[in-house]
Amino acid sequence: MIQPCRTSPKSAGQNHPAKNPPFEEALQKLEAVVEAMESDDLPLETLLAKYEEGAKLVKICQEKLAEAELKIQQLEKTAAGEMKLKPFETDVERVTVIRDA
């Protein structure tokens, strides 16, 4: 007797969480991918899959670092000495404010 498949066709073979993992988790996974690619005698298909996974993890890490950098750039000290996140202004908004002054 044939047993029914317990996973749906859409989710079969997918390990994608609904949200991106935190930076530390993505970096740890990336390090594991690199280590596996460097140390194991993997078939070409597996290497390509690992490379693709690594590229996605690199993108996640870069995005998380860019977000953190932006937040750091936006921090400003208030008169009381407290750190406060100031609204982000694009270059276009700055030019508009200067022209209107």
Side-chain angles (χ1 to χ4, degrees), residues 22-82:
F23 174 80
E24 293 79 7
E25 185 180 330
L27 184 60
Q28 193 173 34
K29 287 180 181 181
L30 179 60
E31 289 171 348
V33 166
V34 170
E35 188 175 317
M37 290 179 72
E38 288 177 343
S39 64
D40 293 341
D41 187 21
L42 300 174
L44 181 59
E45 280 188 27
T46 305
L47 282 171
L48 289 173
K50 291 281 186 192
Y51 182 85
E52 184 178 347
E53 180 184 358
K56 289 176 184 177
L57 290 167
V58 165
K59 183 178 178 188
I60 290 169
C61 289
Q62 288 174 334
E63 288 171 355
K64 299 281 184 184
L65 287 173
E67 288 172 13
E69 184 179 12
L70 182 61
K71 284 183 181 180
I72 290 169
Q73 289 174 350
Q74 291 179 5
L75 284 173
E76 67 177 15
K77 270 191 177 175
T78 63
E82 297 174 356

